[in-house]
Amino acid sequence: MNSYGSFPGARPRRLRTTPAMRRMVAETRLHPADLILPAFVREGVTEPVPITAMPGVVQHSRDTLRKAAVEAVEAGVSGIMLFGVPEDAKKDAAGTAGTDPDGILQVAIRDVRAEVGDDLVIMSDLCLDEYTDHGHCGVLDADGRVDNDATLERYAEMAQVQADAGVHVVGPSGMMDGQVGVIRDALDTIGKEDVSILAYTAKYSSAFYGPFREAVGSSLTGDRKTYQQDPANVRESMRELALDLEEGADMVMVKPAGPYLDILAKVAESVDVPVAAYQISGEYAMVEAAAEKGWIDRDKAIFETLTGIRRAGGQLILTYWATEVAQKLSRGL
């Protein structure tokens, strides 16, 4: 009992009494500008193709991608991350469709830039996995392993064609050693100093990528454990972070988001550049599947997961719910 004769003296519940009170004292807030929409565009289709493992997400046609970009702008979403899905016949060992100026991703960048201009930050996945017939993120050596330095040469070419197409930000996701520095040099060489690099700094080898394989029509056999990070490691991420910043990264990312909130928080506390987190396909699919079965409240789960990412330090959140959530936030829901 305290000197005033009541117990307990400290009552934190006073600040939880009403929705207005909880909103007033909330320490973490979501805003539409925090959100980035990942989007897939498929070559050779005239209608969107549903992705079975990701209910509500599609492989866009060029026309529906443009519409999705406009919708994102109207909702207040900050950016769109584009992934190209080429025709199977165009895949080869070197992923040449990825550096073809008329390849699907470059076409999509031009389409979106023509549609929305600078009203949406247009980002592009800079990786070869969608375009190789073996499904790996780089070119292979004689032993079937990803050749780091040969892959960097391909990434430099990809960066240049994506920049020429009008992208604002490139997102090298292959986890090759030295990729940020090589890409920065490649962009600067052609006078594209204003194109930013969002470094996939801590990209873990995760089981939660499963639905993404369908989304991009992946040809992968085996795994990517020799270049993506081991989920057991923390210090490794901090080393990757230091290297990416030294090489000129403008922004850094942790991927996946939900299972790696500890890594996200550690990165966010350590840098003075914007920090992104990618809520990946498996995270999306789990919520949608559980909600479809009536096991969880879908909307509440979506907002809770995104708030957790924001609370951990994710300033920019890539999520397949970006436009939907931004619309609800704008309506005060």
Side-chain angles (χ1 to χ4, degrees):
M1 186 173 293
N2 64 25
S3 59
Y4 299 100
S6 61
F7 178 82
R11 293 185 179 270
R13 287 183 57 189
R14 294 186 186 115
L15 301 183
R16 305 173 195 154
T17 51
T18 67
M21 177 67 79
R22 293 191 294 273
R23 184 172 63 249
M24 184 178 73
V25 302
E27 299 172 30
T28 304
R29 302 181 193 278
L30 285 173
H31 188 277
D34 300 334
L35 306 175
I36 297 166
L37 177 68
F40 308 100
V41 57
R42 180 169 172 175
E43 190 170 24
V45 299
T46 56
E47 298 292 335
V49 179
I51 299 169
T52 306
M54 300 176 69
V57 181
V58 300
Q59 294 172 328
H60 284 286
S61 68
R62 290 175 61 187
D63 284 341
T64 62
L65 177 66
R66 285 192 287 262
K67 293 174 183 176
V70 171
E71 188 179 32
V73 170
E74 292 173 345
V77 170
S78 282
I80 188 168
M81 173 65 80
L82 301 177
F83 296 85
V85 185
E87 295 174 342
D88 283 344
K90 294 186 178 178
K91 294 182 180 183
D92 59 25
T96 53
T99 51
D100 180 352
D102 295 318
I104 183 58
L105 182 53
Q106 285 68 254
V107 168
I109 292 168
R110 289 196 292 270
D111 284 345
V112 175
R113 189 69 187 264
E115 191 70 34
V116 300
D118 294 333
D119 291 341
L120 192 65
V121 178
I122 302 167
M123 304 177 169
S124 55
D125 179 55
L126 200 164
C127 195
L128 290 172
D129 59 319
E130 295 100 323
Y131 311 99
T132 54
D133 52 15
H134 47 74
H136 279 286
C137 296
V139 295
L140 305 183
D141 62 20
D143 297 320
R145 290 171 55 89
V146 174
D147 186 323
N148 191 93
D149 295 0
T151 297
L152 293 181
E153 295 179 18
R154 302 287 295 122
Y155 285 4
E157 295 176 51
M158 289 191 80
Q160 291 176 339
V161 296
Q162 291 176 4
D164 284 339
V167 80
H168 295 105
V169 180
V170 294
S173 60
M175 291 299 290
M176 297 296 121
D177 295 339
Q179 61 185 15
V180 171
V182 166
I183 289 166
R184 183 72 270 159
D185 286 346
L187 291 169
D188 292 352
T189 296
I190 62 168
K192 297 294 183 179
E193 295 90 350
D194 288 342
V195 174
S196 301
I197 299 175
L198 169 58
Y200 281 58
T201 292
K203 183 178 180 182
Y204 284 88
S205 180
S206 172
F208 293 99
Y209 295 132
F212 185 86
R213 307 280 190 254
E214 177 190 349
V216 296
S218 175
S219 302
L220 180 68
T221 57
D223 58 50
R224 297 180 172 133
K225 292 182 179 180
T226 63
Y227 44 103
Q228 293 179 352
Q229 287 182 233
D230 186 337
N233 293 348
V234 177
R235 290 193 300 271
E236 183 179 25
S237 291
M238 304 312 292
R239 185 182 184 199
E240 293 278 6
L241 175 64
L243 290 169
D244 283 348
L245 293 174
E246 183 181 341
E247 292 173 23
D250 300 288
M251 298 171 274
V252 296
M253 185 195 292
V254 174
K255 180 180 180 181
Y260 297 92
L261 293 180
D262 60 325
I263 307 300
L264 177 59
K266 195 171 181 67
V267 168
E269 290 169 358
S270 304
V271 301
D272 56 4
V273 299
V275 177
Y278 197 148
Q279 185 180 56
I280 66 171
S281 60
E283 298 175 74
Y284 174 94
M286 285 193 301
V287 171
E288 291 288 350
E292 190 275 331
K293 287 188 173 289
W295 293 342
I296 60 173
D297 183 306
R298 177 182 180 274
D299 286 359
K300 289 180 180 178
I302 290 170
F303 275 85
E304 185 174 340
T305 59
L306 293 173
T307 300
I309 295 166
R310 187 72 185 85
R311 187 186 64 243
Q315 298 167 262
L316 309 171
I317 305 174
L318 287 81
T319 176
Y320 299 98
W321 291 303
T323 300
E324 176 188 346
V325 168
Q327 290 168 340
K328 291 177 177 176
L329 287 170
S330 297
R331 296 198 301 267
L333 300 179

